């Protein structure tokens, strides 16, 4: 799979990352970016350090040691942490430095911004920092203010590598290049080597557009174009200077060019492309230092091509047009330089204040009566009381080192889960979800611009056409947040039942509906069927403009991407290829539908981001995902492998997503953790000993019954985990917490949580059945072992004993089947009927009856949704389930254009195929046919189940 970041090298550009933090270094994230994305350098500044220090506890151990050594002055504390980070980053980049022969592999450290107009102070500090860091691949950042240009020349002449920063104007850039050449000439005159010297000139970009746009009238065609034009003109000047005889003489002595480095390349205005200042500035002998969100955006949909050398004359004309329209670029750039110096100085002062506050807090904590000794910081503290928010039952002490798990997880070390290469290949291409809280804010501008386009087009409905991982997060968000005024009503279609398809069509007029075709592979059967059906409906209304009603979300290079282009879909969102479906909630698959229904994307992703930062901590007590995963894995190892979720009503649908994440990730290799959601509440003494409970509630939740049950469970000594949310927007954080927890459970149980080997088995059975339908005109059906009252039952080989004896009453064969349940078994109720809620009440009663008479957990789901969710657990997990598969015998039908079957035939084949896959796996299963109008039959089955004898 191509990576646009790596492809930049083909055009002579080096991507450097505009970010540094202790967490990035310790987790292995920087090493991963170097290996996978071709990162060739790192830049830092006071603002980045301020965010890293004040926004986490990552530096607390370093600060504690410094304080213990008597270092307490804020500036000295800053240097203690900054120099350590710079050294470690330089060491990580040393192989890049050596393989490029000193062209790349640099880390930049800035002199104090308070010295921006003090050449002597700047030079002294530059030399001191150079010596303190002690790395050849260090660059000292010196501002390009006029007073500091002599310091730039002197530092270079004395052999320091220099990143000359805060360049805005062409005139100042010319002066910077002159300082570089003058420094080289001084060294040459003194007989000193030129080859080791490296320098970049940081030319700031996006801030130009922000300033110029504010001076232009609304709707001006010049808006959003000044920055790239300014940079292109600067690049033209660079090529001229470094092609001159003056430099050629230096080149002969080993001198390198001073490459332009495009800085401030994150898009500020959401109306513009989120990769505007990368796509438009690619050319030989350049560097682009890219902030993390833009880095992720360019990796996802950047367009590598040489763009700097094109349109230079047009760029110059645009700058002339700006002048004609009253924009004084000299005044703009002078103002930006002043503002830049002030902003960095303010950030540095803020950093020092925050360090002083943190130092005081750490000193106070060290003298508190219950202070934890520093040596114990890397070990978990005892869990808080079970009734406290986020409380987790006390853990056993002997288990894997939490810090090692965290480091290996964030380093994307596939060996954390499996040693076999086949598994590791899958795992290495499945960990992109770790980046989503950082990456998706960079795509928010693209998404929100699309949302505004959709609103402006007058769409009243948006329908997600998906299955499994591409539809469950949108379904959760739809049920949780409902409709917001002024935004389309969101619907989710993930059922091939024709009555459900018809219900969606009736609820959302195709003439006023946007259809979101969501498929990672681009060829998933169900989304393709939905797409074909509704595309036909819209074509009948809109003709060749039908594509305007469709948007695709898919991986790069899929059939769907090409089809969307051919059909002129309104938009195609290319997702990240290294994310599996069930881990894609925070990617485009979840966030595009979220934005379309009016969810506050910024807040939602910000909360996910805070959770992601917390989940990077090597301190178990401070890492919510790690702690939860370790505890649940420990509970499972102790035999408590059924996780019952108790939730506030407004977020209860979150269980649908949790079911898929946990069951499909962990249910394999004869092992598994069984998630149970939406189960009728029982008394504490009625729950089996194989259960652990997770209570997720929002603040002020009115579900007092749930709270009472939780208190009763805790009083009875049951293991209860409590998670408190501020409001529903905290689901952004919960998506990430549970992804981390699930990955940790997999690591603890020795399971690859990123494959789904048994899901394919049911798909293959379905394909075989449809092939036979095509050949013979009929679907083969399981052998009927009992038939009466409009019902028929077919038992798998493992449940053959239930077929014995003849009776006209359905109670007896069902009782014999349910009597096969053993201690610690669970029951799966799998329903291939309309999923629009029309049968929910009777199915809930059926589930209640099964719980009452069998005293075991009951998991239920609509097919084919559950095939892509809990279906993996059913076939690949432990053989501790009994499965009732319900399917309608005929009924309403709808054709599927360009497919060799109808929706009724497809859903029936999926139900039979799943039953056959369960039978092939040796599972105890019964296939139950109900009439086309199943209401009375479902009531009959619920009553029959209620009359069976309870298993002791």
């Amino acid at each position: 799979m191509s990576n646009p970041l790596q492809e930049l090298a083909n055009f002579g550009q080096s991507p450097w990352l505009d970010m540094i933090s202790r967490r990035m270094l310790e987790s292995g994230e920087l090493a991963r970016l170097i290996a996978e994305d071709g990162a060739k350098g790192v830049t830092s500044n006071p603002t980045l350090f301020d965010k890293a220090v004040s926004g986490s506890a990552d530096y607390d151990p370093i600060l504690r040691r410094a304080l213990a050594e008597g270092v307490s002055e804020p500036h000295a504390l800053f240097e203690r942490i900054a120099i350590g980070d710079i050294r470690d980053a330089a060491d990580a980049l040393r192989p890049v430095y050596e393989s490029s022969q000193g062209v790349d592999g640099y880390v930049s450290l800035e002199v104090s911004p308070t010295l921006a107009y003090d050449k002597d102070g700047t030079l002294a500090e530059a030399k001191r920092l150079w010596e303190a860091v002690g790395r050849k691949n260090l660059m000292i950042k010196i501002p390009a203010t006029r007073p500091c240009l002599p310091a730039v020349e002197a530092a270079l002449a004395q052999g320091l590598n220099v990143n000359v920063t805060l360049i805005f104007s062409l005139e100042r850039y010319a002066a910077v290049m002159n300082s570089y050449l003058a420094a080289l000439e001084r060294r040459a005159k003194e007989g000193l080597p030129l080859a080791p010297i490296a320098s970049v000139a940081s030319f700031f970009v996006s801030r130009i557009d922000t300033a110029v746009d504010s001076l232009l009238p609304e709707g001006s065609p010049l808006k959003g174009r000044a920055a790239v034009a300014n940079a292109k003109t600067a690049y033209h000047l660079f090529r001229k200077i470094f092609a001159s005889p003056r430099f050629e003489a230096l080149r002969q002595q080993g001198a390198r060019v001073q490459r332009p480095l495009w800085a401030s390349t994150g898009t500020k205005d959401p109306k513009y492309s989120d990769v505007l200042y990368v796509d438009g500035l690619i050319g030989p002998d350049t560097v682009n230092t890219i902030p993390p969100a833009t880095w992720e955006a360019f990796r996802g949909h950047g367009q590598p091509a040489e763009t700097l050398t094109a349109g230079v004359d047009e760029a110059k004309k645009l700058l002339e047009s700006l002048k004609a329209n009253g924009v004084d670029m000299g005044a703009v750039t002078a103002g930006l330089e002043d503002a830049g110096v002030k902003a960095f100085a303010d950030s540095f002062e803020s950093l020092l204040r925050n360090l002083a506050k943190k130092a005081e807090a750490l000193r106070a904590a060290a003298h508190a009566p219950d202070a934890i000794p520093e040596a114990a910081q890397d070990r978990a503290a005892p869990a808080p009381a079970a009734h406290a928010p986020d409380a987790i039952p006390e853990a056993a002490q002997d288990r894997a080192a939490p810090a090692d798990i965290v480091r290996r997880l964030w380093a994307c070390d596939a060996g954390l889960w499996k040693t076999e290469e086949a598994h590791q290949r899958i795992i290495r291409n499945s960990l992109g979800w770790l980046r989503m809280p950082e990456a998706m804010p960079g795509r928010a501008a693209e998404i929100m611009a699309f949302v505004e386009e959709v609103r402006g087009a007058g769409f009243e409905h948006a329908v997600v056409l998906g299955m499994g991982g591409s539809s469950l997060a949108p379904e959760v968000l739809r049920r949780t947040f409902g409709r917001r005024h002024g935004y389309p009503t969101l619907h989710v279609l993930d059922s091939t039942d024709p009555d459900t398809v018809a219900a969606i069509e009736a609820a959302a007029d195709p003439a006023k509906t946007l259809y979101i075709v969501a498929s990672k592979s681009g060829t998933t059967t169900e989304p393709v069927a939905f797409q074909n059906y509704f595309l036909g409906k819209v074509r009948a209304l809109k003709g060749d403009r039908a594509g305007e009603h469709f948007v695709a979300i898919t991986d790069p290079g899929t059939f769907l991407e090409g089809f969307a282009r051919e059909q002129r879909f309104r938009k195609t969102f290319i997702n990240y290829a290294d994310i599996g479906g069930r881990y894609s909630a925070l990617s485009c698959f979840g966030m595009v539908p979220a934005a379309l229904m009016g969810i506050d994307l910024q807040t939602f992703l910000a909360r996910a981001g805070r959770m992601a930062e917390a989940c990077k901590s090597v301190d178990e007590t401070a890492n919510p995902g790690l702690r939860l995963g370790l505890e649940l894995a420990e509970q499972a190892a102790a035999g408590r492998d059924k996780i019952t979720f108790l939730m506030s009503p407004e977020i209860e649908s979150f269980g649908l997503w949790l079911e898929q994440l946990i069951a499909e990730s962990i249910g394999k290799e004869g092992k598994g953790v069984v998630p149970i959601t939406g189960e009728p509440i029982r008394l504490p003494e009625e729950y089996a000993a194989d259960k652990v409970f997770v209570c997720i509630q929002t603040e002020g939740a009115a579900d007092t019954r749930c709270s009472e049950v939780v208190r009763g469970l805790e009083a009875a000594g049951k293991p209860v985990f409590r998670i408190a949310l501020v409001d529903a927007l905290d689901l952004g954080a919960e998506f990430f917490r549970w992804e981390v927890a699930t990955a940790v459970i997999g690591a603890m149980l020795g399971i690859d949580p990123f494959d789904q080997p048994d899901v394919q088995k049911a798909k293959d059975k379905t394909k075989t059945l449809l092939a036979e339908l095509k050949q013979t005109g009929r679907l083969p059906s399981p052998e009927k072992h009992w038939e009466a009252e409009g019902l028929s039952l077919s038992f798998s080989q493992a449940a053959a004993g239930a077929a014995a004896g003849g009776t006209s009453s359905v109670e007896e064969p069902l009782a014999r089947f349910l009597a096969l349940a053993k201690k610690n078994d669970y029951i799966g109720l799998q329903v291939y009927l309309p999923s629009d809620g029309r049968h929910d009440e009777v199915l809930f009663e059926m589930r209640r009856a099964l719980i009452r008479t069998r005293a075991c957990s009951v998991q239920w789901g609509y097919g084919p949704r559950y095939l892509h969710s809990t279906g993996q657990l059913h076939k690949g997990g432990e053989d501790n389930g009994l499965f009732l598969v319900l399917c309608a015998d005929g009924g309403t039908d709808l054709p599927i254009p360009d497919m060799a079957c109808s929706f009724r035939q497809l859903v029936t084949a999926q139900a039979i195929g799943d039953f056959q896959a369960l039978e092939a796996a040796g599972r105890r299963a019964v296939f139950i046919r109900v009439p086309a109008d199943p209401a009375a039959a479902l009531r009959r089955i619920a009553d029959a189940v209620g009359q069976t004898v309870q298993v002791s």
Side-chain angles (χ1 to χ4, degrees), residues 416-417 629 633 665-666 740-753:
L416 178 60
W417 296 277
S665 297
I666 307 300
V740 170
T742 302
V744 171
I745 295 171
M748 297 299 290
L749 300 184
I751 291 170
D752 176 355

Side-chain angles (χ1 to χ4, degrees), residues 423 426 430 467-473 520 524 526 579-585 643 645 655-676 738-739 742-743 745-746 749 751-763 826 859 864-878 914:
H423 274 290
I426 294 171
S430 303
M467 184 56 61
S470 65
S471 62
L472 280 171
K520 173 179 171 62
T524 308
E526 296 91 347
I579 305 176
R582 59 186 175 275
Y583 289 86
S584 66
I643 306 177
F645 290 94
L656 293 172
W657 181 83
L658 284 171
E659 273 188 332
Q660 183 197 25
L661 178 71
I662 296 169
E664 196 171 32
S665 297
I666 307 300
K668 60 198 72 167
E669 302 179 30
K671 307 173 187 178
V673 175
V674 182
I676 307 293
W738 282 95
E739 287 170 347
T742 302
I745 295 171
L749 300 184
I751 291 170
D752 176 355
F754 306 109
D755 68 351
Q756 47 281 335
D758 298 286
V759 170
Q760 190 61 40
K761 294 176 181 178
K763 293 181 180 180
Y826 72 98
Q859 189 183 71
R865 174 196 292 160
Y866 79 84
L867 288 178
H868 302 259
S869 175
T870 55
Q872 167 61 45
L873 169 72
H874 300 161
K875 270 85 74 176
E878 185 181 350
D914 186 46

Side-chain angles (χ1 to χ4, degrees), residues 209 212-214 216-226 271-272:
D209 273 343
V212 170
D213 284 3
S214 68
L216 293 169
E218 192 65 34
S220 170
L222 300 176
K223 282 195 170 187
R225 300 171 63 194
K271 294 193 295 293
Y272 304 149

Side-chain angles (χ1 to χ4, degrees), residues 426-449:
I426 294 171
I427 294 168
R428 284 193 294 267
N429 196 42
S430 303
L431 295 169
W433 56 272
L434 287 164
R435 307 189 311 270
M436 289 305 99
E438 191 172 321
M440 286 307 294
R443 299 195 68 175
E446 174 194 9
I447 294 171
M448 294 312 301

Side-chain angles (χ1 to χ4, degrees), residues 129-397:
L129 291 175
W130 176 264
E131 294 297 329
V133 173
R135 297 295 188 272
K136 292 180 180 179
N137 54 330
L138 170 69
M139 278 192 175
I140 299 296
K141 289 178 77 173
I142 299 176
T145 58
R146 194 172 298 281
C148 278
L149 288 179
V152 170
E153 180 180 332
L156 287 164
Q158 293 178 42
L160 280 64
N161 301 320
V162 177
N163 177 339
V164 191
T165 189
L166 282 177
I167 306 170
F168 294 93
S169 73
L170 299 173
E171 293 76 15
R172 187 60 51 82
Y173 181 39
V176 167
M177 288 187 284
N178 182 66
S179 295
Y180 176 68
L181 295 176
L184 294 181
E185 289 165 343
R186 284 171 58 177
R187 288 184 66 84
K189 184 176 181 180
E190 295 171 14
L192 298 173
L194 307 187
I197 305 301
S199 180
V200 294
S202 292
F203 197 90
F204 279 55
V205 185
S206 68
R207 299 185 194 184
I208 295 285
D209 273 343
T210 302
V212 170
D213 284 3
S214 68
L215 302 175
L216 293 169
E218 192 65 34
S220 170
L222 300 176
K223 282 195 170 187
R225 300 171 63 194
V228 170
N230 199 44
K232 283 189 174 186
T233 307
Y235 184 69
H236 179 71
L237 182 61
F238 156 77
R239 297 183 77 182
K240 180 180 178 181
I241 294 294
F242 286 95
S244 68
R246 181 184 182 190
F247 178 71
E248 187 57 36
L250 295 167
R251 187 197 299 274
Q252 296 298 323
Q253 300 177 65
R256 299 189 180 102
V257 300
Q258 183 191 49
R259 291 183 294 173
L261 177 150
W262 311 124
S264 182
T265 54
T267 303
K268 304 292 193 295
D269 193 322
K271 294 193 295 293
Y272 304 149
S273 165
D274 54 358
V275 292
L276 172 63
Y277 306 114
V278 185
D279 274 352
L281 298 175
I282 301 171
D285 292 319
T286 61
V287 177
N288 195 317
T289 185
I290 308 173
T294 307
W295 186 281
E296 299 293 342
F298 190 79
R299 183 203 285 116
H301 53 273
Q303 300 292 325
E306 186 171 324
T307 52
L308 268 172
T309 53
V312 176
D313 290 340
E314 290 82 354
K316 292 178 179 178
K317 290 178 182 177
L318 187 135
L319 294 178
E320 292 171 1
S321 296
L322 288 172
K323 184 176 181 180
N325 280 269
V327 176
D328 183 345
M329 287 296 288
V332 167
T333 54
L336 287 172
E337 179 183 299
D338 292 342
V341 169
K342 184 179 185 302
F344 280 154
D346 289 348
S347 289
F348 190 67
E349 294 297 333
S350 172
L351 169 61
L352 296 182
R353 286 195 299 272
N354 286 329
L355 279 169
K357 291 177 183 177
K358 179 155 285 194
E360 182 61 34
L362 291 173
R363 278 193 292 262
H367 293 91
D370 295 326
I372 300 173
E374 183 178 343
Q377 291 298 319
D378 287 338
R379 187 68 195 109
H387 60 273
D390 286 325
I392 293 176
E394 187 173 353
Q397 296 302 309

Side-chain angles (χ1 to χ4, degrees), residues 475-741:
E475 176 68 7
V476 169
L477 299 174
R478 180 190 73 83
R479 295 193 191 189
T480 302
F481 290 93
R483 183 178 184 275
R484 182 181 170 192
H485 179 71
Y487 289 83
T489 300
L490 188 71
H491 310 263
V492 176
L493 178 59
D494 62 352
S495 171
T496 50
D497 173 79
D499 288 314
T500 306
V501 176
I504 288 288
E505 184 179 355
D509 180 1
K512 301 175 182 178
T513 299
L514 179 74
Y515 296 96
I516 307 163
V517 186
S519 172
K520 173 179 171 62
S521 69
T523 56
T524 308
T525 298
E526 296 91 347
V528 171
F530 303 148
Q531 168 195 273
N532 291 0
Y533 179 79
F534 285 106
L535 192 54
K537 294 292 180 180
V538 180
R539 275 180 182 151
L541 299 169
K542 302 288 186 175
D544 291 341
R545 299 185 63 185
E548 296 175 8
H549 284 249
F550 287 79
V551 56
I553 307 175
T554 190
D555 279 4
T558 65
F559 173 82
L560 176 56
E561 181 186 5
F563 182 82
R565 186 165 50 248
E566 292 170 6
Q567 299 297 317
R568 298 195 296 277
F569 278 19
R570 180 175 286 271
K571 175 77 173 177
T572 297
F573 288 94
I574 300 300
N575 205 54
Y576 305 87
D578 56 351
I579 305 176
R582 59 186 175 275
Y583 289 86
S584 66
L586 293 170
S587 74
C588 292
F589 284 107
M591 296 301 94
V592 171
L596 279 168
M597 64 182 295
I599 291 176
D600 179 354
L601 214 58
Q602 182 177 0
T603 301
F604 197 86
L605 288 170
R607 296 190 187 182
R610 287 196 290 271
M611 178 60 72
E613 286 301 303
C615 288
K616 291 177 182 176
S617 175
V618 296
D619 179 355
E620 179 187 339
T621 62
N623 187 321
L626 172 68
R627 189 177 179 200
L628 180 60
L630 290 174
E631 295 290 356
L632 290 176
E634 209 163 84
Q635 296 288 341
R640 289 180 286 273
D641 61 348
K642 314 297 188 307
I643 306 177
T644 294
F645 290 94
L646 306 169
M647 302 191 193
S648 299
E650 69 171 309
I651 59 168
E652 191 169 21
S653 63
F654 183 51
L656 293 172
W657 181 83
L658 284 171
E659 273 188 332
Q660 183 197 25
L661 178 71
I662 296 169
E664 196 171 32
S665 297
I666 307 300
K668 60 198 72 167
E669 302 179 30
K671 307 173 187 178
V673 175
V674 182
I676 307 293
T677 66
E679 190 174 66
I681 291 176
R682 300 183 243 170
L683 295 174
E685 60 270 19
E686 294 176 336
Y687 286 107
D690 62 349
K691 284 181 173 289
V692 61
F693 301 86
V694 177
C695 176
I696 307 177
Q697 289 184 294
T698 53
E699 288 184 3
D703 188 9
T704 54
R705 172 63 174 150
C706 181
S707 299
E708 290 172 3
V709 169
V710 170
R711 287 193 292 271
L713 290 168
E714 291 167 342
K718 303 286 186 181
V720 178
F721 297 66
R722 287 201 190 199
I723 296 174
L725 311 186
V726 174
D727 53 35
L729 286 170
D730 269 354
L731 287 181
E734 291 309 300
F735 281 136
F736 197 84
R737 182 208 300 255
W738 282 95
E739 287 170 347
V740 170

